[in-house]
Amino acid sequence: QVQLVESGGGSVQAGGSLRLSCAASGRTFSIYHMGWFRQAPGKEREFVTWIRWSGGSTYYADSVKGRFTLSRDNAKNTVYLQMNSMKPEDTAVYYCAAGRYYSGSSYSSPNTYDYWGQGTQVTVSS
């Protein structure tokens, strides 16, 4: 079992930055690939970014590429999502998720993940 708790959400003006954290319980955190998704009101949950269990590979949605950076510290059981040059369209509830397995580009599908956090609200004003 893995429990995930997101933090760091809030309100920021366009062009600003936020750093989200996702803290995981359990000693097996290091074997899980980690992803971030977001969901805006009235929209489906969408993939944001993913990091391999080792931290050696990351993928980003085109909408955030070059602006967001995902990293992890397995010693602290935590992943970090640094969000820069934020835009109003980044406004959403952000969720972190953990999964053991993936194939191909399945990391972008919510169905790939076994555990989810409760979400943290991010609001970007113009």
Side-chain angles (χ1 to χ4, degrees):
Q1 288 282 344
V2 176
Q3 291 185 325
L4 305 173
V5 179
E6 302 98 334
S7 62
S11 297
V12 65
Q13 290 190 329
S17 299
L18 282 175
R19 188 176 82 155
L20 304 183
S21 298
C22 175
S25 64
R27 292 178 292 178
T28 59
F29 170 76
S30 62
I31 67 175
Y32 285 88
H33 310 296
M34 300 295 296
W36 283 90
F37 289 74
R38 65 187 183 187
Q39 188 166 19
K43 295 188 176 181
E44 292 186 354
R45 191 167 297 192
E46 67 170 354
F47 169 76
V48 177
T49 181
W50 171 93
I51 190 165
R52 190 174 173 81
W53 67 269
S54 63
S57 297
T58 53
Y59 290 103
Y60 297 91
D62 288 343
S63 58
V64 307
K65 200 172 294 182
R67 300 188 298 119
F68 290 12
T69 302
L70 182 61
S71 61
R72 67 188 296 163
D73 185 338
N74 286 343
K76 295 183 178 180
N77 282 10
T78 303
V79 292
Y80 304 99
L81 180 60
Q82 179 67 43
M83 305 184 293
N84 298 329
S85 302
M86 297 188 72
K87 304 175 181 180
E89 50 264 44
D90 294 323
T91 296
V93 177
Y94 282 70
Y95 299 89
C96 69
R100 282 290 308 278
Y101 306 103
Y102 77 102
S103 63
S105 62
S106 67
Y107 54 82
S108 63
S109 169
N111 295 331
T112 295
Y113 298 86
D114 305 307
Y115 303 101
W116 291 83
Q118 82 289 349
T120 185
Q121 177 69 47
V122 170
T123 303
V124 185
S125 59
S126 58

